[in-house]
Amino acid sequence: LELVYYLSSIHPGILLSGEYRFHKHHSADVFGVALFSGDYLEIGLDWRFFFRGLREDDFLRIGVSFVSFERDDESFFPPRVTVGYGRDILFFKNTSFLCRLELSGSYIIGKPLAEKDNDFMNREAHFTAALHVGFYFF
């Protein structure tokens, strides 16, 4: 489950992710996100580079995705580029789940998620920042 702060309000949604760690330091992840309100959909691919942190595995993430949203009765599907830094935390040895904390920033290429246009200025939201907290079972 996911909570997204989007267009000045919090929206619940669901995140489905399948990650495969094919090397000690590398993993690939295919994911999809959908808000329950139906305002926003995203599908994408992430690559993570893991390195040893102080106690757990820290990682850097690079991702490419496509975001689907509607505005003014038009549908848009612009690409998004994401970079992030995070940490996987195992609470106990020999467990089948972990907690993942990640701070990321992304840039939407093309049509922005939000626009505000009035007589004096035009604002567009191409850049987004996120804090992800998740529990993953393996």
Side-chain angles (χ1 to χ4, degrees):
L1 295 176
E2 180 169 90
L3 292 176
V4 176
Y5 183 74
Y6 171 67
L7 297 179
S8 302
S9 62
I10 295 176
H11 299 270
I14 190 164
L15 165 73
L16 297 175
S17 173
E19 183 174 354
Y20 181 70
R21 194 159 177 176
F22 55 89
H23 185 269
K24 181 179 177 181
H25 297 291
H26 304 280
S27 75
D29 176 27
V30 176
F31 68 92
V33 178
L35 297 183
F36 292 141
S37 63
D39 294 335
Y40 172 97
L41 299 169
E42 181 177 11
I43 56 170
L45 176 67
D46 290 328
W47 170 78
R48 287 182 177 84
F49 172 72
F50 290 89
F51 55 94
R52 200 63 170 152
L54 298 175
R55 291 181 42 219
E56 305 293 342
D57 278 345
D58 290 3
F59 62 86
L60 296 174
R61 174 176 74 127
I62 297 174
V64 176
S65 61
F66 290 91
V67 180
S68 173
F69 59 92
E70 291 186 12
R71 187 177 324 117
D72 302 327
D73 296 328
E74 288 185 69
S75 295
F76 300 98
F77 201 59
R80 174 190 288 202
V81 178
T82 304
V83 295
Y85 169 78
R87 175 174 283 184
D88 286 347
I89 302 168
L90 289 171
F91 293 112
F92 308 103
K93 287 186 178 183
N94 300 325
T95 60
S96 296
F97 69 94
L98 61 85
C99 177
R100 176 170 283 172
L101 302 173
E102 181 181 357
L103 183 61
S104 65
S106 62
Y107 186 80
I108 297 173
I109 301 167
K111 193 70 171 172
L113 280 176
E115 286 183 325
K116 189 170 189 175
D117 196 10
N118 61 26
D119 295 336
F120 299 108
M121 72 175 71
N122 182 12
R123 290 178 38 181
E124 296 181 345
H126 286 277
F127 180 78
T128 60
L131 172 64
H132 301 271
V133 178
F135 292 94
Y136 291 82
F137 298 93
F138 51 90

